[in-house]
Amino acid sequence: MADLTETFREAFERHADELFRHASLRLSDRDRALELTQECFLRAWQYAGRGEEIREMRPFLFRTLRHLIIDEYRKSKSFSLDSMMEDDDGGQIERMLPRDDTNTLEAAMDRFDGKHAIAAIQELPDLYREALTMRYVDNLSLKEIAEIVRESENVVSVRLHRGLKKLHALLEAE
Amino acid sequence: MNTFFPQLKNEANKIRLSEGEKNFMRFKLEEAMRAPVPSPYFSFAAPRTLVPALVLVLVVIGGGMTYAAEGALPGDLLYPVKIGFNESVRSALAFSDESKVAVHSVFAERRLEEATALAVSGRLSGAAQKALEANFDAHAEVITTIVAEVEATDPIAAADLSARFDSKIAAKGAVIASIGAGSKDTTTKETSGAIAANISRFTGRIARADAPITMQMSAEGAADSAEVSARSFAKATLAPLPVETDTDTAIAAKIGENVLDLLAEVDVRLNALSESLGATTTARIQKQIFFIREFIERTQEHEGDSATARRNIEQALRDVAKLEAFLEAQEKFHTKILPTSLETDVEGAVLIEGGADTRTLPL
């Protein structure tokens, strides 16, 4: 078991900060973010301790954290479906969306100051917040995000696109 | 040049765990990774196991009546059996000084526990209070006498016995004071207060540090955190003392061991109670445990003035005994009363917000 302990120690040193960061951005409550981050590691350990294999630590940890965040939303008194859902069904549009549109959109963000974007991101519906945080703060690849949130890459791509659009609109309005 | 996203990332990167938060989290992970060890539940009460087997035989022969008497409170039919028979048998069979002190300590504590139980149910009358105080005083005085005798030949043992007894009754006194303070009944308020005040006659003996340990630790801040993170948290025993040690250092070491044992028990109790206490309170107490452990490990360095070290360790024992007593009360009486913190020595208490903090713990 020495190997596993070392693996987890290393995983903690490597990922604790970024997991905490992600949780903070999603929850806007530092104390809860702390608790969830800790819980994330503990659960991961229990999972591994049961003999389950963890192929890749980082996505696994993010996935575990994500579940905790979802549970957190469900418990929250001010939980509203709106904050979770997208505006409309992404299924139809995903097939029609040209791939390079996102690049254009990203370039368009350049007029804004990245510093103020954090506050704006926290105002987005959580589905977009999640996608944008994972992509631009956690630097997860499209493929990794898709695996973590268990959606197709296309769906993730649409969420990113719409998230950026909304973010753009929010920053524009300031 | 795309600057927005790098700026965003930079800004986001400022969100991170503090040194202290990281240490604490690391500690919790290490704790979880250690193989679960069965709690030495009765290790701090080791003196109890010194009660000879003969007593158990007598109790068994006595039959159901003596067992039933064990839980009796003043006013119950079997209370005289508990005091008059069970306890006198036990004290008669204690031979060594240490087991005598242990036995009398147990009885003194029991009077406090009985007072607590009565206070919680509003039955702590003036008469009950006086009777309990009288019995408590009798046991406490025996202990005082024995400890004074022991001190002549073995000051370290004497200091250890003193510290154990003092910290336990001070802790239980704090619980009674809390219940009295929170009670709406005037009689209970009076009688609880009186008992708590009476206890302080016997707790002057162990020294007090300038401030509770958790305050000292947090005041020092993250200064030693790098040092702390380098240490293995799996270690729960103290290093052996160097050959030349003075009395204070030896006493500090002995008491330090008590504290670690007691901390282990507090940990177990806390785990069992975490659901009813709620996540925030549980986390707060865990932090206090963590700080005290860190503190004890630091004192191993044997730096600085040994008298101060001893005072600090005795304070730590007080602090932990207090935690233990309150958790025990929580368990027994579901009083939902905890000390606001160890930061004040005023036995003030606060009622936990019912319901709002209740969470189902994962797993």
Side-chain angles (χ1 to χ4, degrees), chain A residues 1-16 41 45 57 61, chain B residues 22 26-27 29-31 33-34 229 231-234:
Chain A
M1 267 286 179
D3 267 340
L4 198 57
T5 314
E6 266 318 301
T7 309
F8 266 87
R9 281 194 187 125
E10 212 180 315
F12 178 80
E13 300 310 323
R14 263 203 207 140
H15 303 299
F41 280 103
W45 170 256
M57 187 57 83
L61 289 173
Chain B
K22 222 181 201 171
R26 200 181 282 115
F27 167 68
L29 185 59
E30 290 289 341
E31 201 179 53
M33 291 198 294
R34 285 202 294 276
S229 62
R231 244 179 244 153
S232 156
F233 284 98

PDB file of all heavy atoms in Angstrom, chain A residues 1-16 41 45 57 61, chain B residues 22 26-27 29-31 33-34 229 231-234:
ATOM      1  N   MET A   1       0.845  -1.221   0.000  1.00  0.00           N
ATOM      2  CA  MET A   1       0.000   0.000   0.000  1.00  0.00           C
ATOM      3  C   MET A   1       0.868   1.255   0.000  1.00  0.00           C
ATOM      4  O   MET A   1       0.357   2.338  -0.141  1.00  0.00           O
ATOM      5  CB  MET A   1      -0.913   0.015   1.234  1.00  0.00           C
ATOM      6  CG  MET A   1      -2.278  -0.584   0.983  1.00  0.00           C
ATOM      7  SD  MET A   1      -3.334   0.494   0.004  1.00  0.00           S
ATOM      8  CE  MET A   1      -4.799  -0.493  -0.142  1.00  0.00           C
ATOM      9  N   ALA A   2       2.184   1.052   0.170  1.00  0.00           N
ATOM     10  CA  ALA A   2       3.069   2.215   0.253  1.00  0.00           C
ATOM     11  C   ALA A   2       2.988   3.026  -1.030  1.00  0.00           C
ATOM     12  O   ALA A   2       2.977   4.241  -1.015  1.00  0.00           O
ATOM     13  CB  ALA A   2       4.487   1.761   0.520  1.00  0.00           C
ATOM     14  N   ASP A   3       2.904   2.334  -2.141  1.00  0.00           N
ATOM     15  CA  ASP A   3       2.815   3.007  -3.427  1.00  0.00           C
ATOM     16  C   ASP A   3       1.601   3.915  -3.496  1.00  0.00           C
ATOM     17  O   ASP A   3       1.687   5.049  -3.963  1.00  0.00           O
ATOM     18  CB  ASP A   3       2.699   1.969  -4.554  1.00  0.00           C
ATOM     19  CG  ASP A   3       4.072   1.627  -5.108  1.00  0.00           C
ATOM     20  OD1 ASP A   3       4.983   2.450  -4.882  1.00  0.00           O
ATOM     21  OD2 ASP A   3       4.218   0.572  -5.731  1.00  0.00           O
ATOM     22  N   LEU A   4       0.497   3.399  -3.063  1.00  0.00           N
ATOM     23  CA  LEU A   4      -0.746   4.151  -3.143  1.00  0.00           C
ATOM     24  C   LEU A   4      -0.688   5.394  -2.269  1.00  0.00           C
ATOM     25  O   LEU A   4      -1.124   6.472  -2.665  1.00  0.00           O
ATOM     26  CB  LEU A   4      -1.910   3.247  -2.713  1.00  0.00           C
ATOM     27  CG  LEU A   4      -3.306   3.703  -3.118  1.00  0.00           C
ATOM     28  CD1 LEU A   4      -3.385   3.883  -4.624  1.00  0.00           C
ATOM     29  CD2 LEU A   4      -4.330   2.685  -2.664  1.00  0.00           C
ATOM     30  N   THR A   5      -0.115   5.228  -1.069  1.00  0.00           N
ATOM     31  CA  THR A   5       0.020   6.372  -0.168  1.00  0.00           C
ATOM     32  C   THR A   5       0.857   7.458  -0.818  1.00  0.00           C
ATOM     33  O   THR A   5       0.496   8.630  -0.800  1.00  0.00           O
ATOM     34  CB  THR A   5       0.694   5.925   1.148  1.00  0.00           C
ATOM     35  OG1 THR A   5       0.082   4.723   1.581  1.00  0.00           O
ATOM     36  CG2 THR A   5       0.537   6.982   2.214  1.00  0.00           C
ATOM     37  N   GLU A   6       1.975   7.029  -1.406  1.00  0.00           N
ATOM     38  CA  GLU A   6       2.839   7.999  -2.081  1.00  0.00           C
ATOM     39  C   GLU A   6       2.106   8.669  -3.225  1.00  0.00           C
ATOM     40  O   GLU A   6       2.214   9.870  -3.436  1.00  0.00           O
ATOM     41  CB  GLU A   6       4.105   7.306  -2.620  1.00  0.00           C
ATOM     42  CG  GLU A   6       5.272   7.387  -1.677  1.00  0.00           C
ATOM     43  CD  GLU A   6       5.405   8.754  -1.026  1.00  0.00           C
ATOM     44  OE1 GLU A   6       5.564   9.771  -1.749  1.00  0.00           O
ATOM     45  OE2 GLU A   6       5.321   8.843   0.203  1.00  0.00           O
ATOM     46  N   THR A   7       1.386   7.856  -3.988  1.00  0.00           N
ATOM     47  CA  THR A   7       0.620   8.398  -5.118  1.00  0.00           C
ATOM     48  C   THR A   7      -0.331   9.491  -4.649  1.00  0.00           C
ATOM     49  O   THR A   7      -0.439  10.547  -5.278  1.00  0.00           O
ATOM     50  CB  THR A   7      -0.203   7.276  -5.788  1.00  0.00           C
ATOM     51  OG1 THR A   7       0.653   6.186  -6.079  1.00  0.00           O
ATOM     52  CG2 THR A   7      -0.861   7.761  -7.071  1.00  0.00           C
ATOM     53  N   PHE A   8      -0.998   9.203  -3.540  1.00  0.00           N
ATOM     54  CA  PHE A   8      -1.962  10.186  -3.058  1.00  0.00           C
ATOM     55  C   PHE A   8      -1.297  11.417  -2.492  1.00  0.00           C
ATOM     56  O   PHE A   8      -1.790  12.531  -2.641  1.00  0.00           O
ATOM     57  CB  PHE A   8      -2.916   9.551  -2.045  1.00  0.00           C
ATOM     58  CG  PHE A   8      -4.168   9.051  -2.700  1.00  0.00           C
ATOM     59  CD1 PHE A   8      -4.239   7.793  -3.237  1.00  0.00           C
ATOM     60  CD2 PHE A   8      -5.266   9.891  -2.821  1.00  0.00           C
ATOM     61  CE1 PHE A   8      -5.380   7.356  -3.880  1.00  0.00           C
ATOM     62  CE2 PHE A   8      -6.415   9.463  -3.460  1.00  0.00           C
ATOM     63  CZ  PHE A   8      -6.471   8.189  -3.992  1.00  0.00           C
ATOM     64  N   ARG A   9      -0.182  11.184  -1.830  1.00  0.00           N
ATOM     65  CA  ARG A   9       0.544  12.354  -1.299  1.00  0.00           C
ATOM     66  C   ARG A   9       0.931  13.269  -2.450  1.00  0.00           C
ATOM     67  O   ARG A   9       0.778  14.486  -2.389  1.00  0.00           O
ATOM     68  CB  ARG A   9       1.824  11.903  -0.587  1.00  0.00           C
ATOM     69  CG  ARG A   9       1.552  11.386   0.803  1.00  0.00           C
ATOM     70  CD  ARG A   9       2.808  11.264   1.635  1.00  0.00           C
ATOM     71  NE  ARG A   9       2.488  10.618   2.884  1.00  0.00           N
ATOM     72  CZ  ARG A   9       3.094   9.529   3.348  1.00  0.00           C
ATOM     73  NH1 ARG A   9       4.080   8.986   2.668  1.00  0.00           N
ATOM     74  NH2 ARG A   9       2.718   8.995   4.496  1.00  0.00           N
ATOM     75  N   GLU A  10       1.428  12.641  -3.493  1.00  0.00           N
ATOM     76  CA  GLU A  10       1.840  13.404  -4.659  1.00  0.00           C
ATOM     77  C   GLU A  10       0.647  14.093  -5.308  1.00  0.00           C
ATOM     78  O   GLU A  10       0.716  15.257  -5.702  1.00  0.00           O
ATOM     79  CB  GLU A  10       2.451  12.425  -5.658  1.00  0.00           C
ATOM     80  CG  GLU A  10       3.554  13.027  -6.502  1.00  0.00           C
ATOM     81  CD  GLU A  10       4.100  11.995  -7.472  1.00  0.00           C
ATOM     82  OE1 GLU A  10       4.333  10.848  -7.027  1.00  0.00           O
ATOM     83  OE2 GLU A  10       4.245  12.337  -8.647  1.00  0.00           O
ATOM     84  N   ALA A  11      -0.442  13.344  -5.408  1.00  0.00           N
ATOM     85  CA  ALA A  11      -1.649  13.900  -6.022  1.00  0.00           C
ATOM     86  C   ALA A  11      -2.111  15.117  -5.242  1.00  0.00           C
ATOM     87  O   ALA A  11      -2.539  16.127  -5.816  1.00  0.00           O
ATOM     88  CB  ALA A  11      -2.752  12.846  -6.064  1.00  0.00           C
ATOM     89  N   PHE A  12      -2.009  15.019  -3.935  1.00  0.00           N
ATOM     90  CA  PHE A  12      -2.421  16.152  -3.094  1.00  0.00           C
ATOM     91  C   PHE A  12      -1.560  17.377  -3.392  1.00  0.00           C
ATOM     92  O   PHE A  12      -2.078  18.474  -3.633  1.00  0.00           O
ATOM     93  CB  PHE A  12      -2.316  15.779  -1.615  1.00  0.00           C
ATOM     94  CG  PHE A  12      -2.684  16.916  -0.709  1.00  0.00           C
ATOM     95  CD1 PHE A  12      -4.012  17.229  -0.457  1.00  0.00           C
ATOM     96  CD2 PHE A  12      -1.699  17.699  -0.122  1.00  0.00           C
ATOM     97  CE1 PHE A  12      -4.354  18.295   0.367  1.00  0.00           C
ATOM     98  CE2 PHE A  12      -2.028  18.758   0.701  1.00  0.00           C
ATOM     99  CZ  PHE A  12      -3.354  19.061   0.938  1.00  0.00           C
ATOM    100  N   GLU A  13      -0.237  17.178  -3.351  1.00  0.00           N
ATOM    101  CA  GLU A  13       0.659  18.320  -3.591  1.00  0.00           C
ATOM    102  C   GLU A  13       0.392  18.945  -4.947  1.00  0.00           C
ATOM    103  O   GLU A  13       0.423  20.149  -5.127  1.00  0.00           O
ATOM    104  CB  GLU A  13       2.123  17.895  -3.487  1.00  0.00           C
ATOM    105  CG  GLU A  13       2.530  17.324  -2.135  1.00  0.00           C
ATOM    106  CD  GLU A  13       2.129  18.192  -0.950  1.00  0.00           C
ATOM    107  OE1 GLU A  13       2.187  19.439  -1.055  1.00  0.00           O
ATOM    108  OE2 GLU A  13       1.712  17.629   0.082  1.00  0.00           O
ATOM    109  N   ARG A  14       0.108  18.084  -5.929  1.00  0.00           N
ATOM    110  CA  ARG A  14      -0.073  18.584  -7.293  1.00  0.00           C
ATOM    111  C   ARG A  14      -1.400  19.260  -7.523  1.00  0.00           C
ATOM    112  O   ARG A  14      -1.481  20.249  -8.231  1.00  0.00           O
ATOM    113  CB  ARG A  14      -0.002  17.410  -8.274  1.00  0.00           C
ATOM    114  CG  ARG A  14       1.321  17.262  -8.858  1.00  0.00           C
ATOM    115  CD  ARG A  14       1.299  16.530 -10.178  1.00  0.00           C
ATOM    116  NE  ARG A  14       2.608  15.906 -10.311  1.00  0.00           N
ATOM    117  CZ  ARG A  14       2.828  14.707 -10.779  1.00  0.00           C
ATOM    118  NH1 ARG A  14       1.837  13.974 -11.207  1.00  0.00           N
ATOM    119  NH2 ARG A  14       4.051  14.246 -10.821  1.00  0.00           N
ATOM    120  N   HIS A  15      -2.449  18.678  -6.956  1.00  0.00           N
ATOM    121  CA  HIS A  15      -3.787  19.089  -7.395  1.00  0.00           C
ATOM    122  C   HIS A  15      -4.632  19.817  -6.363  1.00  0.00           C
ATOM    123  O   HIS A  15      -5.693  20.333  -6.715  1.00  0.00           O
ATOM    124  CB  HIS A  15      -4.574  17.855  -7.875  1.00  0.00           C
ATOM    125  CG  HIS A  15      -3.875  17.115  -8.970  1.00  0.00           C
ATOM    126  ND1 HIS A  15      -3.578  17.692 -10.183  1.00  0.00           N
ATOM    127  CD2 HIS A  15      -3.397  15.850  -9.020  1.00  0.00           C
ATOM    128  CE1 HIS A  15      -2.951  16.798 -10.943  1.00  0.00           C
ATOM    129  NE2 HIS A  15      -2.827  15.682 -10.266  1.00  0.00           N
ATOM    130  N   ALA A  16      -4.197  19.839  -5.108  1.00  0.00           N
ATOM    131  CA  ALA A  16      -5.030  20.440  -4.065  1.00  0.00           C
ATOM    132  C   ALA A  16      -5.424  21.877  -4.406  1.00  0.00           C
ATOM    133  O   ALA A  16      -6.588  22.248  -4.335  1.00  0.00           O
ATOM    134  CB  ALA A  16      -4.319  20.391  -2.724  1.00  0.00           C
ATOM    135  N   PHE A  41     -10.507  14.476  -1.816  1.00  0.00           N
ATOM    136  CA  PHE A  41      -9.345  13.605  -1.631  1.00  0.00           C
ATOM    137  C   PHE A  41      -9.694  12.383  -0.802  1.00  0.00           C
ATOM    138  O   PHE A  41      -9.261  11.267  -1.078  1.00  0.00           O
ATOM    139  CB  PHE A  41      -8.185  14.370  -0.993  1.00  0.00           C
ATOM    140  CG  PHE A  41      -7.416  15.201  -1.973  1.00  0.00           C
ATOM    141  CD1 PHE A  41      -7.589  16.573  -2.027  1.00  0.00           C
ATOM    142  CD2 PHE A  41      -6.529  14.604  -2.859  1.00  0.00           C
ATOM    143  CE1 PHE A  41      -6.891  17.348  -2.948  1.00  0.00           C
ATOM    144  CE2 PHE A  41      -5.829  15.368  -3.790  1.00  0.00           C
ATOM    145  CZ  PHE A  41      -6.017  16.741  -3.831  1.00  0.00           C
ATOM    146  N   TRP A  45      -9.431   8.536  -2.001  1.00  0.00           N
ATOM    147  CA  TRP A  45      -8.648   7.555  -1.256  1.00  0.00           C
ATOM    148  C   TRP A  45      -9.486   6.312  -0.946  1.00  0.00           C
ATOM    149  O   TRP A  45      -9.033   5.181  -1.070  1.00  0.00           O
ATOM    150  CB  TRP A  45      -8.115   8.170   0.042  1.00  0.00           C
ATOM    151  CG  TRP A  45      -7.512   7.166   0.962  1.00  0.00           C
ATOM    152  CD1 TRP A  45      -8.063   6.649   2.088  1.00  0.00           C
ATOM    153  CD2 TRP A  45      -6.255   6.492   0.805  1.00  0.00           C
ATOM    154  NE1 TRP A  45      -7.234   5.706   2.652  1.00  0.00           N
ATOM    155  CE2 TRP A  45      -6.109   5.599   1.882  1.00  0.00           C
ATOM    156  CE3 TRP A  45      -5.227   6.567  -0.149  1.00  0.00           C
ATOM    157  CZ2 TRP A  45      -5.000   4.786   2.047  1.00  0.00           C
ATOM    158  CZ3 TRP A  45      -4.113   5.763   0.026  1.00  0.00           C
ATOM    159  CH2 TRP A  45      -4.006   4.885   1.115  1.00  0.00           C
ATOM    160  N   MET A  57      -5.247  10.328 -12.547  1.00  0.00           N
ATOM    161  CA  MET A  57      -5.588  10.965 -11.280  1.00  0.00           C
ATOM    162  C   MET A  57      -6.319  12.288 -11.469  1.00  0.00           C
ATOM    163  O   MET A  57      -7.370  12.500 -10.861  1.00  0.00           O
ATOM    164  CB  MET A  57      -4.309  11.178 -10.465  1.00  0.00           C
ATOM    165  CG  MET A  57      -4.538  11.680  -9.055  1.00  0.00           C
ATOM    166  SD  MET A  57      -5.591  10.637  -8.047  1.00  0.00           S
ATOM    167  CE  MET A  57      -4.443   9.408  -7.479  1.00  0.00           C
ATOM    168  N   LEU A  61      -9.997  13.099 -10.085  1.00  0.00           N
ATOM    169  CA  LEU A  61     -10.220  14.032  -8.981  1.00  0.00           C
ATOM    170  C   LEU A  61     -11.235  15.098  -9.366  1.00  0.00           C
ATOM    171  O   LEU A  61     -12.114  15.445  -8.571  1.00  0.00           O
ATOM    172  CB  LEU A  61      -8.903  14.679  -8.558  1.00  0.00           C
ATOM    173  CG  LEU A  61      -7.921  13.763  -7.834  1.00  0.00           C
ATOM    174  CD1 LEU A  61      -6.579  14.465  -7.626  1.00  0.00           C
ATOM    175  CD2 LEU A  61      -8.475  13.304  -6.495  1.00  0.00           C
TER     176      LEU A  61
ATOM    177  N   LYS B  22      -3.604  24.201   3.822  1.00  0.00           N
ATOM    178  CA  LYS B  22      -2.999  23.060   3.153  1.00  0.00           C
ATOM    179  C   LYS B  22      -2.468  22.041   4.152  1.00  0.00           C
ATOM    180  O   LYS B  22      -2.664  20.839   4.007  1.00  0.00           O
ATOM    181  CB  LYS B  22      -1.844  23.547   2.274  1.00  0.00           C
ATOM    182  CG  LYS B  22      -1.808  22.868   0.933  1.00  0.00           C
ATOM    183  CD  LYS B  22      -0.659  23.342   0.110  1.00  0.00           C
ATOM    184  CE  LYS B  22      -0.928  23.051  -1.350  1.00  0.00           C
ATOM    185  NZ  LYS B  22       0.044  23.667  -2.212  1.00  0.00           N
ATOM    186  N   ARG B  26      -3.646  18.288   4.449  1.00  0.00           N
ATOM    187  CA  ARG B  26      -2.646  17.230   4.314  1.00  0.00           C
ATOM    188  C   ARG B  26      -2.745  16.293   5.508  1.00  0.00           C
ATOM    189  O   ARG B  26      -2.725  15.071   5.386  1.00  0.00           O
ATOM    190  CB  ARG B  26      -1.243  17.845   4.254  1.00  0.00           C
ATOM    191  CG  ARG B  26      -0.193  16.957   3.652  1.00  0.00           C
ATOM    192  CD  ARG B  26       1.156  17.617   3.641  1.00  0.00           C
ATOM    193  NE  ARG B  26       1.322  18.601   2.578  1.00  0.00           N
ATOM    194  CZ  ARG B  26       1.502  19.894   2.780  1.00  0.00           C
ATOM    195  NH1 ARG B  26       1.531  20.376   3.993  1.00  0.00           N
ATOM    196  NH2 ARG B  26       1.656  20.716   1.757  1.00  0.00           N
ATOM    197  N   PHE B  27      -2.887  16.902   6.669  1.00  0.00           N
ATOM    198  CA  PHE B  27      -3.002  16.159   7.902  1.00  0.00           C
ATOM    199  C   PHE B  27      -4.212  15.234   7.876  1.00  0.00           C
ATOM    200  O   PHE B  27      -4.134  14.069   8.257  1.00  0.00           O
ATOM    201  CB  PHE B  27      -3.093  17.141   9.075  1.00  0.00           C
ATOM    202  CG  PHE B  27      -3.509  16.530  10.367  1.00  0.00           C
ATOM    203  CD1 PHE B  27      -2.676  15.648  11.034  1.00  0.00           C
ATOM    204  CD2 PHE B  27      -4.737  16.826  10.945  1.00  0.00           C
ATOM    205  CE1 PHE B  27      -3.049  15.075  12.239  1.00  0.00           C
ATOM    206  CE2 PHE B  27      -5.113  16.273  12.140  1.00  0.00           C
ATOM    207  CZ  PHE B  27      -4.285  15.386  12.794  1.00  0.00           C
ATOM    208  N   LEU B  29      -5.694  14.042   5.316  1.00  0.00           N
ATOM    209  CA  LEU B  29      -5.482  12.977   4.345  1.00  0.00           C
ATOM    210  C   LEU B  29      -4.567  11.905   4.930  1.00  0.00           C
ATOM    211  O   LEU B  29      -4.839  10.712   4.803  1.00  0.00           O
ATOM    212  CB  LEU B  29      -4.866  13.560   3.064  1.00  0.00           C
ATOM    213  CG  LEU B  29      -4.681  12.582   1.892  1.00  0.00           C
ATOM    214  CD1 LEU B  29      -6.008  11.981   1.467  1.00  0.00           C
ATOM    215  CD2 LEU B  29      -4.002  13.249   0.719  1.00  0.00           C
ATOM    216  N   GLU B  30      -3.514  12.354   5.600  1.00  0.00           N
ATOM    217  CA  GLU B  30      -2.592  11.407   6.226  1.00  0.00           C
ATOM    218  C   GLU B  30      -3.331  10.564   7.247  1.00  0.00           C
ATOM    219  O   GLU B  30      -3.135   9.359   7.361  1.00  0.00           O
ATOM    220  CB  GLU B  30      -1.445  12.161   6.931  1.00  0.00           C
ATOM    221  CG  GLU B  30      -0.469  12.846   6.006  1.00  0.00           C
ATOM    222  CD  GLU B  30       0.430  11.876   5.251  1.00  0.00           C
ATOM    223  OE1 GLU B  30       0.560  10.717   5.685  1.00  0.00           O
ATOM    224  OE2 GLU B  30       0.970  12.269   4.208  1.00  0.00           O
ATOM    225  N   GLU B  31      -4.186  11.239   7.984  1.00  0.00           N
ATOM    226  CA  GLU B  31      -4.965  10.555   9.008  1.00  0.00           C
ATOM    227  C   GLU B  31      -5.830   9.463   8.380  1.00  0.00           C
ATOM    228  O   GLU B  31      -5.913   8.351   8.885  1.00  0.00           O
ATOM    229  CB  GLU B  31      -5.853  11.585   9.700  1.00  0.00           C
ATOM    230  CG  GLU B  31      -6.337  11.187  11.059  1.00  0.00           C
ATOM    231  CD  GLU B  31      -7.176  12.296  11.660  1.00  0.00           C
ATOM    232  OE1 GLU B  31      -8.124  12.745  10.997  1.00  0.00           O
ATOM    233  OE2 GLU B  31      -6.867  12.706  12.790  1.00  0.00           O
ATOM    234  N   MET B  33      -5.298   8.010   5.637  1.00  0.00           N
ATOM    235  CA  MET B  33      -4.505   6.979   4.973  1.00  0.00           C
ATOM    236  C   MET B  33      -3.897   5.986   5.958  1.00  0.00           C
ATOM    237  O   MET B  33      -3.493   4.910   5.577  1.00  0.00           O
ATOM    238  CB  MET B  33      -3.392   7.629   4.128  1.00  0.00           C
ATOM    239  CG  MET B  33      -3.947   8.380   2.929  1.00  0.00           C
ATOM    240  SD  MET B  33      -2.726   8.710   1.638  1.00  0.00           S
ATOM    241  CE  MET B  33      -1.637   9.836   2.475  1.00  0.00           C
ATOM    242  N   ARG B  34      -3.832   6.393   7.206  1.00  0.00           N
ATOM    243  CA  ARG B  34      -3.302   5.440   8.189  1.00  0.00           C
ATOM    244  C   ARG B  34      -4.332   4.345   8.382  1.00  0.00           C
ATOM    245  O   ARG B  34      -5.511   4.582   8.425  1.00  0.00           O
ATOM    246  CB  ARG B  34      -3.043   6.139   9.525  1.00  0.00           C
ATOM    247  CG  ARG B  34      -1.834   7.001   9.543  1.00  0.00           C
ATOM    248  CD  ARG B  34      -1.362   7.209  10.978  1.00  0.00           C
ATOM    249  NE  ARG B  34      -2.283   7.967  11.785  1.00  0.00           N
ATOM    250  CZ  ARG B  34      -2.345   9.289  11.819  1.00  0.00           C
ATOM    251  NH1 ARG B  34      -1.540   9.986  11.037  1.00  0.00           N
ATOM    252  NH2 ARG B  34      -3.193   9.905  12.593  1.00  0.00           N
ATOM    253  N   SER B 229       4.877  20.709   8.100  1.00  0.00           N
ATOM    254  CA  SER B 229       4.560  19.837   6.975  1.00  0.00           C
ATOM    255  C   SER B 229       5.655  18.819   6.744  1.00  0.00           C
ATOM    256  O   SER B 229       5.430  17.767   6.181  1.00  0.00           O
ATOM    257  CB  SER B 229       4.324  20.661   5.714  1.00  0.00           C
ATOM    258  OG  SER B 229       5.499  21.363   5.382  1.00  0.00           O
ATOM    259  N   ARG B 231       7.077  17.173   9.021  1.00  0.00           N
ATOM    260  CA  ARG B 231       6.976  16.112  10.017  1.00  0.00           C
ATOM    261  C   ARG B 231       6.009  15.035   9.611  1.00  0.00           C
ATOM    262  O   ARG B 231       5.037  15.291   8.918  1.00  0.00           O
ATOM    263  CB  ARG B 231       6.467  16.717  11.317  1.00  0.00           C
ATOM    264  CG  ARG B 231       7.472  16.617  12.424  1.00  0.00           C
ATOM    265  CD  ARG B 231       6.926  17.234  13.656  1.00  0.00           C
ATOM    266  NE  ARG B 231       7.717  18.370  14.012  1.00  0.00           N
ATOM    267  CZ  ARG B 231       7.264  19.405  14.688  1.00  0.00           C
ATOM    268  NH1 ARG B 231       6.018  19.453  15.008  1.00  0.00           N
ATOM    269  NH2 ARG B 231       8.042  20.388  14.994  1.00  0.00           N
ATOM    270  N   SER B 232       6.240  13.843  10.089  1.00  0.00           N
ATOM    271  CA  SER B 232       5.287  12.791   9.829  1.00  0.00           C
ATOM    272  C   SER B 232       4.182  12.861  10.863  1.00  0.00           C
ATOM    273  O   SER B 232       4.427  12.815  12.052  1.00  0.00           O
ATOM    274  CB  SER B 232       5.994  11.440   9.911  1.00  0.00           C
ATOM    275  OG  SER B 232       5.036  10.439  10.211  1.00  0.00           O
ATOM    276  N   PHE B 233       2.969  12.948  10.398  1.00  0.00           N
ATOM    277  CA  PHE B 233       1.872  13.038  11.352  1.00  0.00           C
ATOM    278  C   PHE B 233       1.462  11.678  11.865  1.00  0.00           C
ATOM    279  O   PHE B 233       0.577  11.563  12.685  1.00  0.00           O
ATOM    280  CB  PHE B 233       0.670  13.734  10.705  1.00  0.00           C
ATOM    281  CG  PHE B 233       0.866  15.203  10.594  1.00  0.00           C
ATOM    282  CD1 PHE B 233       1.297  15.781   9.417  1.00  0.00           C
ATOM    283  CD2 PHE B 233       0.669  16.008  11.689  1.00  0.00           C
ATOM    284  CE1 PHE B 233       1.501  17.139   9.318  1.00  0.00           C
ATOM    285  CE2 PHE B 233       0.869  17.372  11.596  1.00  0.00           C
ATOM    286  CZ  PHE B 233       1.282  17.945  10.414  1.00  0.00           C
ATOM    287  N   ALA B 234       2.119  10.653  11.371  1.00  0.00           N
ATOM    288  CA  ALA B 234       1.776   9.322  11.845  1.00  0.00           C
ATOM    289  C   ALA B 234       2.297   9.124  13.258  1.00  0.00           C
ATOM    290  O   ALA B 234       1.811   8.320  14.012  1.00  0.00           O
ATOM    291  CB  ALA B 234       2.365   8.275  10.919  1.00  0.00           C
TER     292      ALA B 234
END
